Coordinates of all heavy atoms in Angstrom, one line a residue:
P950 N 23.9 -5.5 24.9 CA 24.3 -5.4 23.6 C 25.6 -4.6 23.4 O 25.9 -3.7 24.1 CB 23.1 -4.5 22.9 CG 22.6 -3.7 24.0 CD 22.8 -4.5 25.4
T951 N 26.5 -4.9 22.4 CA 27.6 -4.3 22.2 C 27.7 -3.7 20.7 O 27.1 -4.4 19.8 CB 28.8 -5.2 22.3 OG1 28.8 -6.4 21.5 CG2 29.0 -5.7 23.8
P952 N 28.4 -2.5 20.5 CA 28.4 -2.1 19.1 C 29.1 -3.1 18.2 O 30.0 -3.9 18.7 CB 29.2 -0.8 19.3 CG 29.1 -0.4 20.7 CD 29.0 -1.7 21.4
G953 N 28.9 -3.0 16.9 CA 29.7 -3.8 16.0 C 28.6 -4.5 15.0 O 27.5 -4.4 15.1
P954 N 29.3 -5.2 14.0 CA 28.4 -5.8 13.0 C 27.6 -7.0 13.7 O 28.0 -7.5 14.7 CB 29.5 -6.5 12.0 CG 30.7 -6.7 12.9 CD 30.6 -5.3 13.9
A955 N 26.4 -7.2 13.0 CA 25.4 -8.3 13.6 C 26.0 -9.6 13.3 O 26.7 -9.8 12.2 CB 24.1 -8.0 13.0
P956 N 25.8 -10.7 14.0 CA 26.1 -12.0 13.7 C 25.2 -12.5 12.6 O 24.3 -11.9 12.2 CB 25.8 -12.8 15.0 CG 24.8 -12.0 15.7 CD 25.0 -10.6 15.4
A957 N 25.4 -13.7 12.1 CA 24.6 -14.3 11.0 C 23.2 -14.4 11.5 O 22.9 -14.7 12.7 CB 25.2 -15.6 10.6
V958 N 22.4 -14.1 10.4 CA 20.9 -14.3 10.8 C 20.6 -15.7 11.3 O 21.0 -16.7 10.6 CB 20.1 -13.9 9.5 CG1 18.5 -14.1 9.7 CG2 20.3 -12.5 9.0
D959 N 19.7 -15.8 12.4 CA 19.3 -17.0 12.7 C 17.9 -17.3 12.6 O 17.1 -16.4 11.9 CB 19.7 -17.2 14.2 CG 19.0 -16.2 15.2 OD1 18.0 -15.7 14.8 OD2 19.4 -16.0 16.3
D960 N 17.3 -18.4 13.1 CA 15.9 -18.7 12.8 C 15.0 -17.8 13.5 O 13.9 -17.8 13.1 CB 15.7 -20.2 13.1 CG 16.4 -21.1 12.2 OD1 16.7 -20.7 11.2 OD2 16.5 -22.3 12.6
T961 N 15.4 -17.1 14.6 CA 14.4 -16.4 15.3 C 13.8 -15.2 14.5 O 12.5 -15.1 14.5 CB 15.1 -15.8 16.6 OG1 15.7 -16.9 17.3 CG2 14.1 -15.2 17.4
L962 N 14.6 -14.5 13.8 CA 14.1 -13.5 13.1 C 13.3 -13.9 11.9 O 12.2 -13.2 11.6 CB 15.4 -12.6 12.4 CG 15.1 -11.4 11.7 CD1 14.3 -10.4 12.6 CD2 16.2 -10.7 11.2
Q963 N 13.6 -15.2 11.4 CA 12.8 -15.6 10.3 C 11.4 -16.0 10.9 O 10.3 -15.8 10.2 CB 13.3 -16.9 9.8 CG 12.6 -17.6 8.6 CD 12.5 -16.7 7.4 OE1 13.2 -15.8 7.2 NE2 11.5 -17.0 6.5
L964 N 11.4 -16.5 12.1 CA 10.1 -16.8 12.8 C 9.2 -15.5 13.0 O 7.9 -15.5 12.7 CB 10.3 -17.4 14.0 CG 10.7 -18.9 14.0 CD1 11.0 -19.4 15.5 CD2 9.7 -19.7 13.5
Y965 N 9.9 -14.4 13.2 CA 9.0 -13.1 13.3 C 8.4 -12.8 12.0 O 7.2 -12.4 11.9 CB 10.1 -12.0 13.6 CG 10.4 -11.8 15.2 CD1 10.9 -12.8 15.9 CD2 10.0 -10.7 15.9 CE1 11.2 -12.6 17.4 CE2 10.2 -10.4 17.2 CZ 10.8 -11.5 17.9 OH 11.0 -11.4 19.2
F966 N 9.2 -12.9 10.8 CA 8.6 -12.6 9.5 C 7.4 -13.6 9.3 O 6.5 -13.3 8.6 CB 9.7 -12.8 8.5 CG 10.4 -11.4 8.4 CD1 11.5 -11.1 8.9 CD2 9.9 -10.4 7.5 CE1 12.3 -10.0 8.8 CE2 10.5 -9.2 7.4 CZ 11.6 -9.0 8.0
L967 N 7.6 -14.9 9.6 CA 6.6 -15.9 9.3 C 5.3 -15.6 10.1 O 4.2 -15.7 9.6 CB 7.1 -17.2 9.5 CG 8.2 -17.8 8.6 CD1 8.6 -19.2 9.0 CD2 7.7 -17.8 7.2
C968 N 5.4 -15.2 11.4 CA 4.2 -14.9 12.1 C 3.5 -13.7 11.6 O 2.4 -13.4 11.9 CB 4.6 -14.7 13.7 SG 4.9 -16.3 14.4
A969 N 4.3 -12.8 11.0 CA 3.7 -11.6 10.4 C 3.1 -11.9 8.9 O 3.4 -11.3 8.0 CB 4.7 -10.4 10.2
H970 N 2.3 -13.0 8.9 CA 1.8 -13.6 7.6 C 0.9 -12.7 6.9 O 0.1 -12.0 7.6 CB 1.0 -14.9 8.0 CG 0.9 -15.7 6.6 ND1 -0.2 -15.6 5.9 CD2 1.7 -16.7 6.1 CE1 -0.2 -16.4 4.9 NE2 0.9 -17.1 5.0
P971 N 0.9 -12.5 5.6 CA -0.1 -11.6 4.9 C -1.6 -11.8 5.0 O -2.3 -10.9 4.9 CB 0.3 -11.8 3.4 CG 1.7 -12.4 3.5 CD 1.8 -13.2 4.7
S972 N -1.9 -13.1 5.5 CA -3.3 -13.2 5.8 C -3.9 -12.6 7.1 O -5.0 -12.7 7.3 CB -3.6 -14.8 5.9 OG -2.9 -15.4 6.9
L973 N -2.9 -12.2 8.0 CA -3.2 -11.5 9.2 C -3.3 -10.1 9.0 O -2.4 -9.4 8.3 CB -2.3 -11.9 10.3 CG -2.2 -13.5 10.6 CD1 -1.1 -13.7 11.6 CD2 -3.6 -13.8 11.2
T974 N -4.0 -9.3 9.8 CA -3.9 -7.9 9.9 C -2.7 -7.6 10.8 O -2.2 -8.4 11.6 CB -5.2 -7.3 10.7 OG1 -5.0 -7.8 12.1 CG2 -6.4 -7.7 10.0
P975 N -2.1 -6.4 10.5 CA -0.9 -6.1 11.3 C -1.1 -6.2 12.9 O -0.1 -6.8 13.5 CB -0.7 -4.6 10.8 CG -1.3 -4.5 9.5 CD -2.3 -5.3 9.6
A976 N -2.2 -5.8 13.4 CA -2.4 -5.9 14.8 C -2.4 -7.3 15.3 O -1.8 -7.7 16.3 CB -3.7 -5.1 15.1
S977 N -3.1 -8.2 14.5 CA -3.1 -9.6 15.0 C -1.8 -10.2 14.7 O -1.3 -11.2 15.6 CB -4.2 -10.3 14.0 OG -5.4 -9.8 14.3
A978 N -1.0 -9.9 13.6 CA 0.3 -10.6 13.5 C 1.2 -10.2 14.7 O 1.9 -11.0 15.1 CB 0.9 -10.0 12.2
V979 N 1.2 -8.9 15.1 CA 2.0 -8.5 16.1 C 1.6 -9.3 17.5 O 2.6 -9.7 18.1 CB 1.9 -6.9 16.4 CG1 2.6 -6.6 17.7 CG2 2.5 -6.1 15.3
A980 N 0.4 -9.4 17.7 CA -0.1 -10.1 18.9 C 0.3 -11.5 19.0 O 0.9 -12.1 19.8 CB -1.6 -10.0 19.1
L981 N 0.2 -12.3 17.7 CA 0.6 -13.6 17.6 C 2.1 -13.9 17.8 O 2.5 -14.8 18.5 CB 0.1 -14.2 16.4 CG 0.5 -15.5 16.0 CD1 -0.2 -16.6 16.9 CD2 0.1 -15.9 14.5
T982 N 2.8 -12.9 17.2 CA 4.3 -13.0 17.3 C 4.8 -12.8 18.6 O 5.7 -13.6 19.3 CB 5.0 -12.0 16.4 OG1 4.4 -12.1 15.0 CG2 6.5 -12.3 16.2
L983 N 4.3 -11.8 19.3 CA 4.6 -11.7 20.7 C 4.3 -12.7 21.6 O 5.1 -13.2 22.5 CB 3.9 -10.4 21.3 CG 4.4 -9.0 20.7 CD1 3.5 -7.9 21.1 CD2 5.9 -8.7 21.1
R984 N 3.3 -13.5 21.3 CA 2.8 -14.6 22.2 C 3.5 -15.9 21.8 O 4.1 -16.5 22.7 CB 1.3 -14.7 22.0 CG 0.8 -15.9 23.0 CD 0.6 -15.3 24.3 NE 0.1 -16.4 25.3 CZ 0.8 -17.2 26.0 NH1 2.2 -17.1 25.8 NH2 0.5 -18.1 26.8
A985 N 3.8 -16.1 20.5 CA 4.3 -17.4 20.1 C 5.8 -17.4 20.1 O 6.4 -18.4 20.4 CB 3.8 -17.8 18.7
V986 N 6.5 -16.2 19.7 CA 7.8 -16.2 19.6 C 8.5 -15.3 20.6 O 9.5 -15.7 21.3 CB 8.2 -15.7 18.2 CG1 9.8 -15.7 18.1 CG2 7.5 -16.4 17.1
G987 N 7.9 -14.2 21.0 CA 8.5 -13.3 22.0 C 8.5 -13.9 23.4 O 9.1 -13.3 24.3
G988 N 7.5 -14.7 23.6 CA 7.4 -15.2 25.0 C 6.6 -14.4 26.0 O 6.5 -14.7 27.2
L989 N 5.9 -13.2 25.5 CA 5.2 -12.4 26.4 C 3.8 -13.0 26.7 O 3.3 -13.9 25.9 CB 4.8 -11.0 25.7 CG 6.0 -9.9 25.9 CD1 7.3 -10.4 25.2 CD2 5.5 -8.7 25.4

């Protein structure tokens, strides 16, 4: 990573927010996002 302004927002960050859906508990949302988007 290098210092400086961030590039334009891409779809990846939006996917993080979508996986953190209000119908899920925070713990379940984190687990789902890590599995589906984070690749863990």
